[in-house]
Amino acid sequence: MPFTLPHHQKKHFSAGHLCVLAMHVILRKVALSPRALARDSICGGGLLSPLPWLRRAACRSLYSETGVWQRDYRVETRRQVERRWHPRIQEQWKKNAKEEVSKQEKFYVLSMFPYPSGRLHMGHVRVYTISDTIAHFQRMRGYQVLNPMGWDAFGLPAENAAIERGLDPEEWTKSNIQSMREQLDSLGLCFNWDREITTCLADYYRWTQYLFVKLFKAGLAYQKEAVVNWDPVDQTVLADEQVDEAGRSWRSGALVEQKLLRQWFIKTTNYAKPLLDALAELPEWYGVKAMQANWIGECSGCFFQFQLKLDGEETGESLEAYTPTPEAVFGAAYVAILPSHRLLHGSSPLKAALTRSLQQGRDCLTEVTARNVFTGKEVPVVISAQVEFEGHLDTVIGIPDVSKDDASVASVLSLEWPTVIHTQEDGSQTLLNSAQFTGLSREEAFDSITQKARDMKAGGHLTSSKLRDWLISRQRYWGTPIPIIHCGSCGSVSVPEEELPVTLPKVPALTGKGASPLQSAEDWIHCTCPRCKGPAERETDTMDTFVDSSWYYFRYTDPNNQIRPFERSLADHWLPVDVYIGGKEHAVMHLYYARFLSHFCRDQGFVSHREPFRKLLVQGLIKGQTFRSADTGQYLCREEIDFSGSDPVQAGSGGGVQVSWEKMSKSKHNGLDPQEVVEQYGIDTVRLFILYAAPPEQDILWDVKTDALPGVLRWQTRLWALVTKLREAREGGVTPDPSALSKRDRDTARKIWENKNYAIQEVTGHFTEDFLLNAAIARLMGLSNTLTQASAGVVLHSVEFEEALAALCVMIAPMAPHLASELWAGLCGVRHAQCGLLCEGGDVLEQPWPTVDPEYLHTPDTLEMAVRINNKACGSVSVPRQVSQDAQQVRELVLASPLGHRLLGDRVIKKAILSPRTALINFLVEE
């Protein structure tokens, strides 16, 4: 409980008395509990620190501690506020999370979990500030809120660090997690830490392996030889998505090489059409929907399965061949492969036969035949003269009846084919020579044939020519082991579910070169086949980390389940995620894989929904200013730049400098340590700056000279001054009496009431609909400006001022929780409070979110627009509220009004400026 003084005694205490009282409290704490003194240290320094500001802080104290209000908001006040409220806010969040019940309506806010590199960067601060703000807001609205945090802890950086420094990647990762968790706590972020997950721990990747086994049993995980992208620096395979337009690795930057390896794939193409169609269920995936649709492509064709024969004998080899016209599949004349196909370059038993037939630049008929599993028909395999097919295809079905190009190839090679399409006199087309599908229209046959092929597991899943299956193999150590056992008799067999997890063994040394490091763990590799009990070997590739992150949002709903990945009832309660927050760089790959896993889990009966994320909030980067040598392109430190001239140059040499804004990075010398920024400006200031500087989806150019940072610093001071203003007005001994207000003051009070309701309406809309938190702050700044202009009589007597200030304080709480908590404590201690909310008690984050007064919803939808001419007040004009933010319409309405005719009719208007924060337009005219 804070120490409080009776109101009648407070005015008798001087500053000296208060310092003595504060020191008395400190000395009593030291005597009773020396540890408490260390625990309550401020910003790393003790209460008895020799630093000047800390010595002054010892003689100052907060209202919430002593019952004495500090009149001014200073740097030391801010530090005291954050020191006091930081642990209390954290504890209150934990307490509320335990008390929430499933009967409440849920809200699941999810921010993309970080890779534990060891240090937070400003991008982390931005995404987690946004999620924390939304989480507080929704809890204040009465929702049961889930705001979890975890660690995407497998991956190359840990392994590379282990190689460079001779460390165990597991210990390095765990140490980084501990460090980053402490950093997150220091930022005042409230997560549901009781649901923390870490993908490199066996209790998580056991279930990643479980899901892989389910995919394998469903025929969606398979291994084949493939030409893959090889990173010669990181010595691992890259998915196509991890190679940039310049042909370089997304992580190491090395030029990617092509290499033929036996790899594991997940057949995501089987879900291409459902994933494409389900985008229609996601109206609030602004922008990202188009990116996902473009990535998937037009799903107008499908693959069919073929078994390959040589000299009439089965070879054990199979092919999947694509056609954009599956309804005409009974008219196939051949299957064509590219000269770069794996069958011509790998270890296939057909390699010799195919190579004998190959003649570069010509369509070559081979001895190999392919039997269509769906139709039962056998056709020859042709090596195409083309270097590439459409999209990413390497195998296609030649159907001459529907393609002139295919007919040309078949004619040159003297191949026969049946006619399968008959065109009626009216132009409609039906099928011929197509078994039970003969007589159907092409449209009917398209649906019937693809459905029958799916039922027979012979293909038929609609997909595009540009989409490939998901390559998940990685020849590295620090990843989830693939739970497959290779047996000479049984082939590839999945590890029984009851024997999971297949844990990572310790290996003697990591080099990062050549084959998978797990091949050196001989005792681990050699095992028994679960099917025939004969000798076998484990798979030594590990999974791409995108597999780990494709289902983590499910695990948060039930993180301690030891029986299954998650309980369906819990997943159904929390999913879909109400808002998913993360960077632009994951708008395609991660979201596509996560959506695929969610669709698969629904088909397996694990959950009742298909789509995992209802809304997306894709936030931009925080960029720092970079300086590069104009000659060498080398990045330079700010200290190496001479800013004395009109243009920056290199200090000493005077060489030219290229200045730009880029993503923050140590290598570019433009990064910021979040903890240093917080130490300098405070947690709430950094939060407000990040939220106010730009809309979430836009990049922020970090420049402390811009208006945003000084602006939020000034705003905090003004907010503090408003509470001081109300408290001092009520300390005079005069009892508030609304009837004592003059006509002018009553009009002002009415304006305050309207602005309060307008702010509540607008801010709530920004929090729930468009997430323009910068606009929400601007609206709150407008309300604070209105309150600042209120006369002494309005402050003393009107309930409207008190209610508006209370609502303002509550609405800033999700964004600046520490400051709002102390402001609220000060408001609740105001004498003769007229606002019922201030008498109910509780901290500000425990208050209900304010709602619009019913009367406001029935008032005429107009507001009074203040008019100024050359910055001089000239009156006001009523304008419709819905156009009050449209500068052109407001200008026209003012000019058409009697006031406009009288004062502006014959004036030359140079410019009309509409205030974004308050109802005011300023006309600049020639004198």
Side-chain angles (χ1 to χ4, degrees):
M1 291 290 292
F3 169 70
T4 58
L5 289 171
H7 285 289
H8 69 277
Q9 292 184 11
K10 290 176 189 172
K11 59 185 177 182
H12 299 300
F13 281 84
S14 66
H17 285 121
L18 295 178
C19 284
V20 171
L21 277 171
M23 288 305 298
H24 174 75
V25 171
I26 293 168
L27 292 173
R28 186 169 183 270
K29 182 177 284 189
V30 173
L32 293 175
S33 177
R35 290 184 181 179
L37 187 67
R39 185 183 66 241
D40 290 343
S41 61
I42 307 172
C43 301
L47 286 170
L48 304 181
S49 166
L51 293 175
W53 72 266
L54 284 175
R55 283 203 301 271
R56 289 197 302 273
C59 292
R60 296 178 64 84
S61 48
L62 298 175
Y63 176 83
S64 56
E65 296 172 315
T66 67
V68 179
W69 182 258
Q70 296 183 28
R71 191 177 194 282
D72 300 317
Y73 188 68
R74 301 173 180 172
V75 172
E76 60 266 30
T77 312
R78 182 256 297 164
R79 288 173 171 152
Q80 289 176 330
V81 165
E82 293 183 355
R83 174 178 59 85
R84 172 165 176 76
W85 286 104
H86 180 278
R88 286 165 174 77
I89 291 170
Q90 299 285 318
E91 285 304 314
Q92 189 63 51
W93 178 269
K94 293 176 188 176
K95 180 173 177 286
N96 289 345
K98 291 177 182 177
E99 293 175 353
E100 288 174 336
V101 294
S102 59
K103 292 180 181 179
Q104 291 175 265
E105 191 173 350
K106 66 90 182 178
F107 194 92
Y108 187 174
V109 53
L110 178 62
S111 43
M112 292 182 183
F113 62 171
Y115 176 78
S117 61
R119 298 296 298 173
L120 291 178
H121 54 67
M122 291 305 297
H124 290 131
V125 178
R126 188 180 193 189
V127 66
Y128 302 135
T129 295
I130 293 171
S131 67
D132 187 74
T133 297
I134 293 173
H136 281 307
F137 163 74
Q138 294 294 352
R139 178 164 281 177
M140 294 171 79
R141 294 182 78 208
Y143 285 83
Q144 180 192 17
V145 174
L146 177 57
N147 182 29
M149 177 50 64
W151 311 97
D152 192 8
F154 272 136
L156 283 172
E159 188 164 341
N160 290 342
I163 293 167
E164 294 167 8
R165 304 168 195 176
L167 302 172
D168 182 337
E170 181 177 3
E171 295 305 315
W172 187 82
T173 300
K174 288 181 178 178
S175 174
N176 287 349
I177 288 173
Q178 179 61 30
S179 174
M180 290 181 71
R181 180 165 177 176
E182 291 171 1
Q183 292 171 59
L184 288 171
D185 283 341
S186 74
L187 293 171
L189 300 167
C190 293
F191 293 111
N192 295 87
W193 283 113
D194 58 325
R195 295 173 182 266
E196 180 181 13
I197 59 172
T198 305
T199 61
C200 69
L201 297 183
D203 64 358
Y204 181 88
Y205 70 71
R206 167 189 181 182
W207 302 112
T208 305
Q209 293 173 338
Y210 173 91
L211 291 171
F212 178 91
V213 169
K214 292 295 185 184
L215 288 163
F216 181 77
K217 290 180 177 179
L220 294 171
Y222 65 96
Q223 192 178 30
K224 71 172 184 179
E225 275 191 320
V227 177
V228 296
N229 303 307
W230 179 258
D231 184 328
V233 172
D234 282 338
Q235 296 280 298
T236 193
V237 171
L238 301 174
D240 292 325
E241 303 87 359
Q242 295 169 328
V243 181
D244 66 20
E245 293 178 355
R248 294 184 178 274
S249 165
W250 73 313
R251 189 176 295 280
S252 73
L255 277 172
V256 172
E257 300 171 358
Q258 299 298 299
K259 198 170 185 177
L260 193 69
L261 293 174
R262 194 161 180 79
Q263 301 287 294
W264 281 97
F265 294 83
I266 294 177
K267 193 177 282 297
T268 54
T269 51
N270 278 19
Y271 278 77
K273 180 63 171 171
L275 287 168
L276 182 66
D277 291 345
L279 290 173
E281 302 171 16
L282 304 170
E284 296 181 88
W285 277 40
Y286 307 112
V288 176
K289 266 175 62 169
M291 296 168 69
Q292 288 269 310
N294 182 64
W295 179 259
I296 296 170
E298 184 181 355
C299 296
S300 55
C302 71
F303 288 92
F304 285 96
Q305 294 278 352
F306 288 84
Q307 299 296 331
L308 300 187
K309 294 183 176 181
L310 181 62
D311 298 328
E313 299 291 329
E314 296 281 355
T315 63
E317 282 282 7
S318 63
L319 273 182
E320 283 193 329
Y322 183 84
T323 176
T325 54
E327 72 278 11
V329 68
F330 284 88
Y334 62 89
V335 169
I337 62 174
L338 290 175
S340 58
H341 197 278
R342 64 177 178 85
L343 293 177
L344 286 154
H345 299 276
S347 57
S348 169
L350 297 174
K351 181 177 179 179
L354 292 170
T355 303
R356 284 196 300 270
S357 303
L358 175 62
Q359 297 181 52
Q360 293 291 346
R362 294 183 60 183
D363 293 308
C364 305
L365 192 62
T366 73
E367 308 165 45
V368 180
T369 59
R371 182 180 66 83
N372 189 322
V373 176
F374 174 68
T375 65
K377 295 182 176 294
E378 197 169 313
V379 295
V381 172
V382 171
I383 303 173
S384 177
Q386 299 181 56
V387 176
E388 59 183 29
F389 295 140
E390 181 184 359
H392 291 305
L393 300 173
D394 64 2
T395 309
V396 296
I397 305 174
I399 307 178
D401 223 24
V402 292
S403 167
K404 291 181 180 179
D405 291 339
D406 293 354
S408 175
V409 171
S411 296
V412 169
L413 297 176
S414 301
L415 300 177
E416 296 182 353
W417 67 88
T419 298
V420 292
I421 301 296
H422 173 65
T423 303
Q424 309 283 355
E425 290 183 2
D426 61 1
S428 61
Q429 294 182 320
T430 55
L431 264 62
L432 299 173
N433 304 314
S434 299
Q436 71 265 37
F437 306 100
T438 297
L440 294 179
S441 68
R442 286 190 69 170
E443 294 76 14
E444 292 170 335
F446 183 98
D447 294 335
S448 298
I449 287 175
T450 53
Q451 181 62 55
K452 183 69 174 179
R454 292 194 292 271
D455 294 342
M456 293 175 59
K457 299 189 182 306
H461 294 276
L462 298 182
T463 186
S464 72
S465 60
K466 66 191 293 186
L467 192 65
R468 290 199 242 191
D469 285 336
W470 179 12
L471 190 160
I472 66 161
S473 284
R474 298 295 179 266
Q475 289 68 44
R476 298 302 294 259
Y477 169 74
W478 192 235
T480 298
I482 295 176
I484 292 292
I485 292 172
H486 299 289
C487 173
S489 302
C490 305
S492 296
V493 182
S494 61
V495 173
E497 293 171 13
E498 63 273 13
E499 294 181 16
L500 298 175
V502 178
T503 56
L504 271 176
K506 294 293 184 181
V507 293
L510 296 171
T511 64
K513 306 297 181 185
S516 169
L518 289 177
Q519 291 184 2
S520 64
E522 294 188 6
D523 291 342
W524 178 85
I525 288 177
H526 297 293
C527 61
T528 300
C529 173
R531 188 174 295 165
C532 72
K533 309 305 178 185
E537 293 187 354
R538 296 190 187 278
E539 174 61 53
T540 58
D541 282 358
T542 54
M543 297 187 207
D544 178 20
T545 55
F546 275 120
V547 182
D548 305 317
S549 61
S550 66
W551 74 279
Y552 78 112
Y553 50 91
F554 282 128
R555 186 65 174 173
Y556 278 138
T557 68
D558 193 12
N560 302 311
N561 197 321
Q562 298 299 310
I563 301 172
R564 54 183 61 88
F566 48 87
E567 189 66 46
R568 174 170 176 162
S569 62
L570 292 172
D572 285 347
H573 171 71
W574 285 110
L575 272 290
V577 172
D578 292 280
V579 57
Y580 192 25
I581 310 166
K584 296 175 183 176
E585 64 272 23
H586 298 300
V588 174
M589 285 189 294
H590 163 63
L591 288 175
Y592 177 71
Y593 300 144
R595 293 180 63 224
F596 162 77
L597 243 295
S598 184
H599 279 239
F600 172 73
C601 285
R602 180 180 183 266
D603 289 349
Q604 291 289 306
F606 297 162
V607 290
S608 61
H609 59 273
R610 290 192 300 176
E611 288 297 325
F613 313 120
R614 179 175 288 123
K615 284 187 178 182
L616 289 183
L617 202 169
V618 180
Q619 104 278 356
L621 302 172
I622 295 185
K623 293 183 176 181
Q625 199 169 30
T626 59
F627 305 94
R628 301 178 72 177
S629 167
D631 298 327
T632 66
Q634 180 182 358
Y635 286 99
L636 305 172
C637 298
R638 178 174 284 271
E639 292 73 21
E640 299 176 85
I641 308 300
D642 180 359
F643 295 96
S644 60
S646 57
D647 295 315
V649 295
Q650 295 180 53
S653 68
V657 174
Q658 296 175 344
V659 183
S660 61
W661 294 89
E662 299 182 37
K663 182 178 179 179
M664 287 185 176
S665 167
K666 288 182 181 179
S667 63
K668 297 174 184 176
H669 308 296
N670 69 339
L672 286 171
D673 184 336
Q675 288 184 302
E676 291 179 4
V677 176
V678 167
E679 173 68 20
Q680 182 176 359
Y681 297 106
I683 297 172
D684 285 346
T685 304
V686 172
R687 286 171 68 102
L688 288 171
F689 171 78
I690 284 173
L691 298 174
Y692 181 56
E697 72 276 6
Q698 291 183 12
D699 295 338
I700 291 177
L701 306 184
W702 186 276
D703 184 353
V704 296
K705 298 176 189 175
T706 60
D707 184 57
L709 193 55
V712 296
L713 284 167
R714 290 192 300 269
W715 187 45
Q716 291 173 84
T717 302
R718 288 200 302 273
L719 292 168
W720 190 274
L722 284 171
V723 176
T724 300
K725 187 176 182 178
L726 179 60
R727 289 185 59 85
E728 290 181 347
R730 299 290 174 83
E731 291 293 327
V734 179
T735 302
D737 180 8
S739 66
L741 291 169
S742 66
K743 170 73 166 58
R744 183 175 181 177
D745 283 347
R746 286 198 300 273
D747 290 343
T748 300
R750 177 72 182 186
K751 180 182 177 182
I752 289 173
W753 177 82
E754 290 176 347
N755 281 1
K756 177 203 72 172
N757 281 286
Y758 181 54
I760 292 171
Q761 194 174 56
E762 290 292 298
V763 172
T764 304
H766 289 313
F767 266 102
T768 56
E769 296 170 13
D770 56 23
F771 301 113
L772 294 179
L773 303 182
N774 61 314
I777 292 175
R779 184 66 261 151
L780 294 176
M781 287 179 171
L783 178 57
S784 63
N785 288 344
T786 300
L787 294 175
T788 300
Q789 295 164 12
S791 66
V794 170
V795 176
L796 173 60
H797 293 297
S798 78
V799 67
E800 290 85 356
F801 182 92
E802 197 173 303
E803 289 178 343
L805 184 53
L808 174 62
C809 189
V810 170
M811 287 190 285
I812 67 168
M815 297 177 280
H818 308 86
L819 173 62
S821 295
E822 187 64 22
L823 292 176
W824 186 256
L827 278 177
C828 289
V830 166
R831 298 184 69 183
H832 307 300
Q834 302 180 83
C835 173
L837 193 61
L838 297 180
C839 303
E840 294 179 5
D843 292 336
V844 69
L845 289 169
E846 298 177 85
Q847 304 307 313
W849 187 257
T851 55
V852 175
D853 294 323
E855 182 188 347
Y856 177 79
L857 299 175
H858 300 294
T859 57
D861 200 15
T862 61
L863 57 79
E864 287 299 306
M865 180 68 61
V867 178
R868 292 186 181 183
I869 300 175
N870 289 344
N871 298 312
K872 293 180 182 179
C874 299
S876 63
V877 173
S878 292
V879 300
R881 193 177 297 276
Q882 65 266 26
V883 303
S884 62
Q885 296 297 310
D886 186 317
Q888 184 60 34
Q889 289 197 55
V890 171
R891 171 184 169 135
E892 292 173 358
L893 288 168
V894 171
L895 292 176
S897 70
L899 182 144
H901 283 300
R902 179 164 47 87
L903 299 179
L904 295 167
D906 57 353
R907 309 288 290 272
V908 177
I909 299 171
K910 295 188 291 186
K911 192 174 185 180
I913 303 170
L914 182 67
S915 170
R917 298 178 182 174
T918 189
L920 182 149
I921 187 168
N922 186 20
F923 289 87
L924 302 181
V925 302
E926 291 184 0
E927 295 291 351

